[in-house]
Amino acid sequence: MPGPRRGPASERAQDFSGTIRRLIAYIAHERLALLVSLGCAIASVVFNVVGPRVLGMATTKLFEGFTAKLAGAGSIDFEGIAYILAGLMCLYVTSAFFNLLQGFLMTGLTQRVCYRMRREIVEKIDRMPLGYFETNSVGDVLSRITNDVDTVGQSLNQCVTQVVTSLTQLIGVTVMMVSVSLQLAGITFLTIPVSLVLVVIVVRSSQRYFRQQQALLGLVDGIVEESFSGQSVIQVFNREERAVADFDIENDRLYHAGWKSQFLSGLMQPIMNFVANLAYVAVVSVGAFLAVAGQITVGDIQAFMQYVRNFTQPITQLTQVSNMIQMLSAAAERVFEFLNGPEEEPVAEPRELARCRGAVSFEHVRFGYVPEKTIIHDFTCEVEPGQTVAIVGPTGAGKTTLMKLLMRFYDVNAGSITVDGVDIRALDRDALRANFGMVLQDTWLFEGTIRENIRYGRAEATDAEVEAAARAALADHFIRTLPGGYDFCLNEDASNVSQGQKQLLTIARAFIADRPILILDEATSNVDTRTEERIQRAMDALMQGRTSFVIAHRLSTIRNADKILVLRDGDIVESGRHEELLSQGGFYAELYNSQFAEEPEE
């Protein structure tokens, strides 16, 4: 069933102005392309705005010529009209060229911004502490990389040029209207307060739903991803209806947030069209009286009617842009929120650590994932180079937690852990982890060939070394039975090989890594008893000369360990070799005997 997920974000953007300022700073490195694109957008609008006035000149010339012809005092100057229309055509062609150029530049700019965002998110993932991924939904992170970044790209592409072109057109049309008729311009300007009031009402109503929509989209993606990956478990426990019900709850919330945001934003166009039509009717009515009075020409009325439409159009566009800006800020805020997330603190002046000998020391280690809930209370242990240390105990005793501390996935709350006498907190994490090989109970293989998956342990390994590692892990035989052998391609979740075979491949990967310290966390738990025995022999060869930490529930696999640490509630309750602990008849003996006790007859 789906794991813990983030709750929906607040209905309103937490820092709208701060997000927009950061976004502007984020695209500052694209300033040249941005400035050229905006310049082209302004030029396109300017040439386009002049068009109606020129067309009005042609209309006036045609009307005057037609009137003179009816009066028998002249004829229509078709040549002059043709020159005016040819000039008008040049204006519109030039406007279209600049519009095409700005679209080309702006599209490239926004896609580069999206590329950079995705790259930074992926790089951020590598720097984030393991605890983040243990407490946050995978689907929510995926939603930020896909949906939110795409929303930023699409909204940014439309918003920037739309704001500039709309403002330029608004200013240009205003100048042209005033130059044609101050009276008609005044009538048109009366629509501005009405438009602004309606815009503010709609924007304030829709803003919170856009933010809610983006947050809920991440939740829905998380449920889908978790349900898909856990489909076999869902079906085994007949929880299909419950899974669908859980999805329906969040999907219903997304539906309501989505339709409210889209409905409210959709009101912009009809509202602005209604206001524009009122202005259109008023201009035509008053303009007719002015024309009869001889204060303006017929061509001026025709041009002004176009300017009225061109005046209300940018206002409508700005209202639509306001909605896109809400979506942009909501998506960008989620992206920046992730980029601002916690990171593993780098060591200021890291100590050098080449290939270590493998001496590990735990000194009074105390740790808890939550400060008030301590898991490891006072753990002390000395491990000599080349020793094999088995860590056993009931579930929740802190066995895997100790290995996470050793690898610096988490830092201790108190005490210290040293490798070759150097506190691991003084070492760079990459340098520290370069000395560890790991085989976990939960196998992880990526989509690719078997050869590539084994070579993941050491990228420069040759094909011969890959095959030698597979033979050492007893995986060579089954690999060669697959179609293509080592070039057999695993699918996304490696479900086209068995669980035991996946474990053998991860063991081969540990072989080829050739690290001085090994961590084996239930490495043989997913194979049958016969294969386990064979793998144990391979493991014994692998652990020769290496410091090895073995976490095991099958106590029969750790009989030859140099030291066995028995954990209970975060403390060492027993320590020694297998025979010693059995002879003591304590907790270890109880655990060991319970695995081989015969079940009572019914």
Side-chain angles (χ1 to χ4, degrees), residues 330-370:
E333 188 175 52
R334 281 169 51 81
V335 172
F336 291 141
E337 181 185 48
F338 184 82
L339 293 177
N340 288 338
E343 295 185 8
E344 292 181 327
E345 290 292 334
V347 180
E349 296 181 0
R351 299 273 300 274
E352 294 292 331
L353 181 68
R355 184 181 177 90
C356 68
R357 295 182 300 109
V360 178
S361 174
F362 297 84
E363 298 179 2
H364 303 290
V365 170
R366 185 174 184 273
F367 174 76
Y369 294 103
V370 181

Side-chain angles (χ1 to χ4, degrees), residues 323-532:
N323 286 324
M324 285 189 290
I325 290 177
Q326 300 305 321
M327 295 180 63
L328 172 64
S329 64
E333 188 175 52
R334 281 169 51 81
V335 172
F336 291 141
E337 181 185 48
F338 184 82
L339 293 177
N340 288 338
E343 295 185 8
E344 292 181 327
E345 290 292 334
V347 180
E349 296 181 0
R351 299 273 300 274
E352 294 292 331
L353 181 68
R355 184 181 177 90
C356 68
R357 295 182 300 109
V360 178
S361 174
F362 297 84
E363 298 179 2
H364 303 290
V365 170
R366 185 174 184 273
F367 174 76
Y369 294 103
V370 181
E372 60 272 13
K373 295 182 180 180
T374 302
I375 297 176
I376 308 296
H377 298 93
D378 188 7
F379 184 85
T380 299
C381 176
E382 294 287 339
V383 181
E384 299 297 328
Q387 276 192 329
T388 297
V389 177
I391 304 175
V392 301
T395 300
K399 303 184 295 298
T400 301
T401 299
L402 281 174
M403 297 302 98
K404 290 180 179 179
L405 294 175
L406 180 58
M407 297 283 287
R408 277 206 75 192
F409 291 137
Y410 297 91
D411 282 329
V412 298
N413 299 139
S416 65
I417 302 175
T418 62
V419 174
D420 285 2
V422 180
D423 193 318
I424 62 174
R425 289 171 294 189
L427 297 171
D428 180 76
R429 287 181 175 83
D430 291 340
L432 172 67
R433 293 166 187 169
N435 288 278
F436 286 85
M438 181 179 285
V439 180
L440 303 177
Q441 178 180 5
D442 297 325
T443 57
W444 179 82
L445 298 169
F446 57 86
E447 185 176 1
T449 66
I450 287 180
R451 193 184 306 276
E452 291 170 340
N453 273 274
I454 296 177
R455 189 177 278 128
Y456 192 81
R458 182 158 54 90
E460 68 277 8
T462 64
D463 289 348
E465 289 174 324
V466 169
E467 294 173 11
R471 286 193 296 272
L474 305 179
D476 180 73
H477 174 72
F478 93 80
I479 292 174
R480 295 187 183 278
T481 63
L482 297 172
Y486 284 87
D487 294 320
F488 177 76
C489 191
L490 301 175
N491 58 20
E492 184 179 8
D493 55 355
S495 60
N496 51 349
V497 295
S498 71
Q499 185 64 35
Q501 290 171 336
K502 286 193 288 187
Q503 192 66 282
L504 292 174
L505 293 178
T506 61
I507 293 171
R509 188 167 62 194
F511 266 104
I512 205 169
D514 190 25
R515 304 287 175 80
I517 303 177
L518 292 175
I519 296 177
L520 309 175
D521 190 350
E522 296 291 338
T524 61
S525 62
N526 292 320
V527 296
D528 59 83
T529 305
R530 183 170 178 269
T531 304
E532 177 188 343

Side-chain angles (χ1 to χ4, degrees), residues 40-54:
C40 290
I42 293 173
S44 174
V45 172
V46 169
F47 282 106
N48 194 57
V49 165
V50 177
R53 188 65 184 272
V54 176

